[in-house]
Amino acid sequence: MRALHSDPRRITLKHLRSGLVIGTALTAMIALTSCASNEAPASGGSGSAGASGGAAITGTLNGVGSSAQSNAQTAWTKGFQETNTGATINYDPAGSGAGREAFISGGADFAGSDSALKSEELSGSFGACDGKGIDIPVYVSPIALVYNLDGVDTLNLDASTLAKIFSGKITKWNDSAITALNPDAKLPSSTITPVYRSDSSGTTTNFTDYLHTAAPSDWSNEPGDAFPYKTGEGAAKGSGIVAAVTAGAGSIGYVDNSSAGDLSVAGVQVGSDYVKPSAEVASAAAEAAEVDTTREDNDTVVTIDRKPTEATQYPITLVSYLITCQTYKDSAKGTEVAAYAKYITSTEGQQAAADSAKSAPLTGTIASAAQAAAATIK
Amino acid sequence: MTASTAAPARLRAPRRPGDTIFSGAALVGGLVILAALAAVAVFLIAQSIPAFSAEPRQITSTGEYANFWAYVVPLAFGTIWAALLALVFAVPFSIAIALFTSHYAPRRIARGLGSAVDLLAAVPSVVYGAWGIYVFAPFVRPFYVFLNDALGWIPLFSGNVSASGRTILTVAMVLAVMIIPIVTALSREIFLQTPRLNEEAALALGATRWEMIQMAVLPFGKAGVVSAIMLGLGRALGETLAVAMILSPSVIVGFFLLRTENPTTVAANIALQFPESYGVTLNVLIATGLILFVITFAVNAASRAIVGRRGGGKGV
């Protein structure tokens, strides 16, 4: 009787395990085939678009990098492969650091990164390049301050107040600093829970850069991809922030505007006005950004103005880069990357990302600078 | 072979190719495992070396940790703390479920319950993570508020209660759910192996069923249950995704269960920081992995020692 007890259950467990393995394998296969189906059958209405002009590009490109760019890269890959049916672009959103690492070692043909190549990285050699790598701004997105506070539909904050909230110096919603900015709001006396990214993130770099630049006396820490304070709640990825703010009454967090969903979004003080994140104000901020002139030609790195005076710009805006070689050792690869970079920076490519990833398209001078840099890739 | 004389000429079985192939394959299998373990250890140690002399700005971008040890000690603490808390919940439940299915439940119910518990082991940890964030953490938060009100004078339950419920206590309970199937399945098999004669002797002496379990089943199964718990502990120490998703982490040492700031674990920290790291920061993360490797190794060695000393651990 005991033997009867034990045996069949053991078998069940084993079956379950192997069932799980088969299930995982199947899912992987389905995922693979659906990826492949993006690539092949787009041949129908392709010839007309002709963004890059010359002969159709063929070959495979592998990119690694920023997860913020992930949705935009998917849109670009799709758009590019519709025009160039022989081309295959793979983008692995493993993270900016992983992307730069893979590109520098020659493991990836291009990288997506929320921060430009660092000076110590530029001083080394690049695996796939004949020379150095360059940065091209391709993805602009505003970072929204999302909060969960019953009965408060409009919330206005400035850099100094935000710095104090996120460093734990302001702990109550009815603190005089907040009520002074929001005379009409009925602010409760409940505790503020600031929610930050627990993983290293370009979103954190941009947010802390804003606080450090716009309110240096309240935020003395240098900007970085790790959040510097231990007060408040950490959450993984943008989706984790949204989940934590949604669940936690009295929480406030920072997240890419495209994932803010139904949460309330605070306005940020610019001059004497309060600006909410949108594609228009982020594009304007990117266009007004200062170009770093200390870098090599075509290495296009910009610094967003964190203290704009006109309410047409949103200061907490993230600019993410495409990192490629100036000159590839393999010239066929160079031609393909150049065509892809031209497509990404074109009006058409930027609009494709704006439609699917809700990013802010590059406009004006920054768009022409990016297009000019993309055209020089060999 | 049938030649019968007494001379004890050793009978040698003819070596069939099957024997040679099988023993060769078994040997290669064993060696590959050892080689893999050695390769992991070599990789961890080689990659860890730069971490021990890392500058503060290389350890994290904030530069708040003076050296590697200031960074890794809180992580190691959090790893062990979370795993021990998980055991506090998992062990009583697991033993109770195992005893119920082996000695109390009617066979049909036992079989159903057994497969249900086994099924828990098949749920991927990402599902536990999502469930933890969206369902379980908001669900337990009111209890936390109550605990804090009623027992806030005990340091464990003091402080401001997390607004979202994503605390180390929540993580420990989710980890407990994840290790219960492991501990339960092993304990049940041990309890079922209790010699029938011992149980019947106890009953014949007038013991109640509970007394019989105390006198016959538990002493017999003790070593096996300890090694089952150690296996569960190993799982809890290494669990990554569920912790990374659910916990609101800080690199701190603190014995608080309900606050927003919680000690985090080595594995979860690596998972969260790895994608955006580069250069020496990567080496630092790998070195924390080495520390986890050492901790897990020590736990396994300890469990081997316990099981070995007590002797009994049949078939585990």
Side-chain angles (χ1 to χ4, degrees):
Chain A
M1 181 183 135
R2 289 280 145 76
L4 275 177
H5 258 225
S6 63
D7 261 356
R9 261 177 264 139
R10 267 199 186 153
I11 290 168
T12 330
L13 182 59
K14 269 184 198 158
H15 278 202
L16 274 176
R17 290 251 167 83
S18 57
L20 188 66
V21 171
I22 293 168
T24 320
L26 275 179
T27 325
M29 277 169 66
I30 292 165
L32 282 177
T33 41
S34 62
C35 278
S37 65
N38 271 348
E39 290 152 14
S43 55
S46 63
S48 55
S52 51
I57 302 292
T58 55
T60 302
L61 285 184
N62 294 308
V64 182
S66 158
S67 52
Q69 285 186 28
S70 178
N71 289 338
Q73 287 281 359
T74 309
W76 291 327
T77 303
K78 190 161 166 277
F80 186 71
Q81 287 171 171
E82 272 171 15
T83 329
N84 304 284
T85 48
T88 306
I89 314 276
N90 304 310
Y91 185 74
D92 171 11
S96 304
R100 290 200 306 276
E101 197 99 337
F103 175 71
I104 288 169
S105 70
D109 301 318
F110 66 89
S113 174
D114 295 344
S115 48
L117 287 165
K118 297 171 195 305
S119 53
E120 65 260 31
E121 290 171 332
L122 279 169
S123 63
S125 65
F126 290 80
C129 305
D130 190 5
K132 298 294 180 195
I134 59 171
D135 303 281
I136 303 172
V138 292
Y139 178 85
V140 175
S141 183
I143 296 168
L145 288 155
V146 292
Y147 65 95
N148 174 351
L149 202 56
D150 261 351
V152 180
D153 300 328
T154 313
L155 183 68
N156 293 324
L157 296 167
D158 62 10
S160 158
T161 313
L162 275 169
K164 285 177 185 158
I165 290 174
F166 276 89
S167 61
K169 287 188 200 103
I170 293 180
T171 57
K172 299 287 178 196
W173 277 107
N174 60 357
D175 189 282
S176 57
I178 306 179
T179 49
L181 298 171
N182 301 277
D184 301 331
K186 287 198 178 64
L187 291 161
S189 62
S190 55
T191 309
I192 305 180
T193 305
V195 183
Y196 60 87
R197 286 281 291 262
S198 59
D199 50 330
S200 304
S201 158
T203 315
T204 303
T205 314
N206 278 274
F207 182 60
T208 52
D209 184 42
Y210 162 72
L211 296 178
H212 181 69
T213 314
S217 56
D218 296 307
W219 193 273
S220 54
N221 290 284
E222 293 287 317
D225 57 10
F227 190 80
Y229 289 98
K230 291 194 169 70
T231 50
E233 174 159 341
K237 307 282 173 192
S239 55
I241 299 262
V242 170
V245 173
T246 308
S251 301
I252 180 167
Y254 56 91
V255 70
D256 195 282
N257 193 38
S258 60
S259 38
D262 297 334
L263 289 166
S264 314
V265 174
V268 174
Q269 191 177 49
V270 176
S272 55
D273 286 318
Y274 295 93
V275 184
K276 284 195 177 188
S278 70
E280 292 75 40
V281 286
S283 291
E287 193 178 339
E290 191 185 335
V291 177
D292 183 350
T293 50
T294 61
R295 294 201 171 229
E296 302 278 318
D297 292 350
N298 301 324
D299 189 3
T300 317
V301 176
V302 296
T303 313
I304 295 280
D305 184 0
R306 303 297 185 190
K307 294 186 284 187
T309 47
E310 288 168 53
T312 52
Q313 298 175 26
Y314 187 71
I316 323 176
T317 295
L318 172 148
V319 176
S320 190
Y321 297 90
L322 177 75
I323 298 179
T324 69
C325 295
Q326 177 70 76
T327 308
Y328 281 84
K329 282 177 185 159
D330 175 355
S331 66
K333 200 123 260 184
T335 316
E336 189 177 5
V337 175
Y340 187 52
K342 273 185 212 161
Y343 170 71
I344 290 177
T345 50
S346 69
T347 319
E348 187 192 347
Q350 287 294 310
Q351 194 53 46
D355 291 342
S356 75
K358 301 195 184 67
S359 65
L362 293 171
T363 53
T365 48
I366 188 175
S368 37
Q371 284 156 2
T376 64
I377 300 171
K378 286 197 279 289
Chain B
M1 270 225 264
T2 45
S4 54
T5 42
R10 288 179 63 199
L11 291 175
R12 298 199 71 180
R15 286 187 67 80
R16 299 196 178 88
D19 289 334
T20 326
I21 292 170
F22 181 73
S23 78
L27 180 69
V28 169
L31 288 179
V32 163
I33 288 294
L34 278 185
L37 189 66
V40 169
V42 167
F43 159 81
L44 281 176
I45 294 168
Q47 292 286 312
S48 298
I49 291 168
F52 297 106
S53 54
E55 301 288 319
R57 290 289 287 188
Q58 291 172 326
I59 294 174
T60 65
S61 68
T62 57
E64 61 195 297
Y65 306 101
N67 58 48
F68 173 70
W69 298 108
Y71 183 58
V72 79
V73 167
L75 291 174
F77 163 79
T79 308
I80 296 169
W81 177 231
L84 288 181
L85 283 173
L87 284 189
V88 168
F89 292 103
V91 168
F93 272 105
S94 301
I95 294 180
I97 298 169
L99 281 177
F100 180 72
T101 47
S102 65
H103 285 82
Y104 281 92
R107 198 202 299 182
R108 194 179 296 166
I109 296 178
R111 189 177 294 184
L113 187 65
S115 350
V117 171
D118 289 345
L119 197 61
L120 282 178
V123 177
S125 57
V126 62
V127 173
Y128 279 116
W131 174 74
I133 290 187
Y134 293 109
V135 181
F136 191 60
F139 172 76
V140 290
R141 187 175 179 273
F143 298 99
Y144 291 176
V145 173
F146 168 78
L147 267 180
N148 181 253
D149 283 344
L151 299 170
W153 50 272
I154 303 175
L156 269 184
F157 304 115
S158 63
N160 279 325
V161 179
S162 158
S164 59
R166 298 166 55 242
T167 76
I168 191 99
L169 189 57
T170 312
V171 167
M173 286 192 272
V174 173
L175 283 179
V177 176
M178 299 174 79
I179 60 178
I180 278 176
I182 298 173
V183 183
T184 305
L186 290 170
S187 307
R188 181 181 63 211
E189 297 305 318
I190 307 279
F191 292 150
L192 285 172
Q193 286 173 10
T194 314
R196 207 57 210 273
L197 278 176
N198 295 11
E199 295 180 8
E200 283 171 0
L203 292 173
L205 286 169
T208 63
R209 196 177 280 198
W210 166 233
E211 284 163 343
M212 178 271 283
I213 286 172
Q214 272 181 305
M215 286 190 288
V217 180
L218 289 182
F220 175 82
K222 206 186 254 175
V225 171
V226 168
S227 69
I229 292 171
M230 289 298 179
L231 269 181
L233 181 62
R235 169 96 202 257
L237 287 172
E239 177 51 39
T240 308
L241 202 55
V243 181
M245 288 173 79
I246 299 170
L247 190 66
S248 161
S250 302
V251 182
I252 55 170
V253 174
F255 295 89
F256 307 107
L257 298 181
L258 309 179
R259 294 189 182 182
T260 307
E261 297 83 22
N262 301 281
T264 185
T265 72
V266 171
N269 188 59
I270 294 176
L272 288 174
Q273 311 309 334
F274 195 82
E276 297 291 325
S277 298
Y278 59 94
V280 180
T281 314
L282 270 181
N283 298 103
V284 169
L285 288 177
I286 293 170
T288 64
L290 176 68
I291 303 294
L292 178 64
F293 187 74
V294 171
I295 294 174
T296 325
F297 205 79
V299 165
N300 274 325
S303 73
R304 290 261 157 204
I306 293 172
V307 175
R309 202 175 59 217
R310 307 241 171 133
K314 262 190 202 170
V316 183

